[in-house]
Amino acid sequence: MSQHPVKVIAVTGGKGGVGKTNLSVNLGVAFAQMRRRTVLMDADLGLANVDILLGLSPQFTLADVLSGQRTLQQVVLNGPSGLKIIPASSGVQKMANLSPLEHAGLIHAFSDFGDQLDILLIDTAAGISDSVVSFVRAAQEAVIVVCDEPSSITDAYALMKVLNKDHQVDRFRVVANMCRSLAEGQQLFAKLQAVCDRFLDASLQYLGAIPFDENVRKAVQSRKALLEFAPRTKAAQAIQVVAQRLDSLPVPRNARGHLEFFFERLLAPPPIAIHTAMGQH
Ligand SMILES: Nc1ncnc2c1ncn2[C@@H]1O[C@H](COP(=O)(O)OP(=O)(O)OP(=O)(O)O)[C@@H](O)[C@H]1O
Ligand SMILES: [Mg+2]
């Protein structure tokens, strides 16, 4: 595998429908427009897939790569502004749970891939499934998307608690989505920070607020990324700011900064979830 540093960013949030996929797609486009070679991996088999949002029709998926039928190059789709996409499939979902043969096939498929990559973005599913947890704990950066609904804060906290207590993830970046004002985003972040300060051993950084904007829905209807459909809207500009903040974060200089490390962590058996197993709160 390659020695080229790759920034691996997982976009997650616990609650469904908070805007993880839209943020992932548009962050990907923003990175691509900043000339970062970016791949967005769709790790959610749900309905609102990345390829559907962008009007792409995948012919092959990672499942075909795992079975040895196709190469990774045949699976990767070309998205807007040069963003590359690995579409959702059972192959991505079960990546954290592979047979030794599939494991070897996956490593082989991704060998040398790191050389052609600066940023690997992962759009995760809602919830706290093993798959979500595996992707987030293996990534260097965990972006937690929240919106102004009580269940969004409680679900985001529940996810961060499992990641922190059972999987030693101790740093989270927070994006407030669908905000009616900048103050609303800051208040959301303050709520999350208060509860994390009290109960978790983790640091939180606020990446910013994305306003609620009808253009997001219109862009989805037109099968386009917001950054291409309506680049001058406040929502598009707010996403660009978040992308710049993520881009300016350093990639670790040690092994953690390489794609190999991500796959090693992803493919490693999950540590025993002591906290969950003991049913503590
Ligand atoms: N900033 C925004 N302004 C207005 N609507 C938005 C915004 N962000 C997302 N939406 C809308 O919210 C809905 C859910 O968005 P999205 O599919 O990105 O969420 P998700 O968190 O990925 O959902 P799931 O958990 O189902 O994967 C979509 O209809 C989308 O158009
Ligand atoms: Mg989604």
Side-chain angles (χ1 to χ4, degrees), residues 144-147 174-179 184-186 188 206 208-211:
I144 308 288
V145 185
V146 287
C147 65
V174 177
V175 173
N177 190 27
M178 306 193 212
C179 291
E184 183 186 291
Q186 271 152 356
L188 266 176
Y206 186 45
I210 320 284

Side-chain angles (χ1 to χ4, degrees), residues 17 19-22 44 48-49 123-126:
K20 299 177 291 295
T21 302
N22 273 282
D44 182 9
N49 287 126
D123 176 25
T124 72

